[in-house]
Amino acid sequence: MKKIWISIIGVVVVIGLIFLGFTQLNKSTASSSSSKKTITIGTTGTSFPTSYKKGNKLVGFDVDLINKAAKDLGYKTKWVTGEYDGLLEDLDQSKVDTVANDVAITPEREQKYTFSTPYNIEETAIAVNKNSSFKTIHDLDGKTVSTGAALITLII
């Protein structure tokens, strides 16, 4: 029950931070063809369950959260998908207004970007077949493994 409340509080905080980010957007994001302003969001579209494609539609927690916050604040959303390595570059070049994706907060990135409070922490676990000879983390020494870990935040 405590985790549910922490999650709810986290979502409320994120929505508040998104609101602050939207209110500080440059007027250049205003759409010339409509009275509604548009915010352009960068994501990979491959980060299940936060931002991924189901058929041709972009779905996931990040997508739902930003779409709802934008709608409540009178913004239209324009999603741009691309390779992870290019998301921050797109932000630097003003191709997107924000990034909604698994982005780790590093000291270098904190110097350059404003991050929301993390609202999801992805923990990494190691899984092997039950009949595997690997029983401890040290059994994997010298082996190749694939993993990823990040705090999920928004860059505002």
Side-chain angles (χ1 to χ4, degrees):
M1 187 67 169
K2 185 177 179 182
K3 283 186 175 184
I4 292 172
W5 280 108
I6 291 172
S7 295
I8 291 170
I9 291 169
V11 168
V12 169
V13 168
V14 168
I15 290 172
L17 289 169
I18 290 170
F19 172 77
L20 289 173
F22 285 154
T23 58
Q24 306 225 354
L25 283 176
N26 190 312
K27 293 180 182 178
S28 67
T29 61
S31 172
S32 59
S33 63
S34 168
S35 63
K36 258 189 178 180
K37 292 180 253 174
T38 300
I39 182 168
T40 304
I41 305 109
T43 191
T44 61
T46 60
S47 300
F48 181 84
T50 57
S51 170
Y52 63 100
K53 290 192 177 176
K54 191 173 188 178
N56 289 329
K57 184 175 168 99
L58 191 62
V59 296
F61 181 78
D62 289 347
V63 176
D64 293 343
L65 179 68
I66 290 192
N67 285 341
K68 173 70 172 135
K71 181 180 178 185
D72 290 352
L73 295 169
Y75 284 83
K76 288 182 181 180
T77 55
K78 176 183 175 188
W79 288 89
V80 176
T81 58
E83 295 294 319
Y84 178 80
D85 293 344
L87 291 177
L88 296 179
E89 185 176 323
D90 286 350
L91 185 61
D92 291 342
Q93 295 176 1
S94 299
K95 293 180 180 177
V96 297
D97 298 309
T98 189
V99 170
N101 206 78
D102 294 350
V103 177
I105 301 171
T106 65
E108 296 81 19
R109 288 178 181 162
E110 280 187 309
Q111 297 282 325
K112 194 170 186 179
Y113 307 108
T114 301
F115 288 88
S116 70
T117 301
Y119 57 92
N120 183 27
I121 298 173
E122 294 184 3
E123 296 179 5
T124 301
I126 297 173
V128 297
N129 288 325
K130 285 187 177 186
N131 59 355
S132 171
S133 64
F134 302 120
K135 302 298 180 197
T136 71
I137 191 77
H138 296 294
D139 293 339
L140 297 173
D141 287 349
K143 306 294 183 210
T144 301
V145 297
S146 175
T147 184
L151 301 174
I152 297 179
T153 64
L154 298 174
I155 300 175
I156 50 177

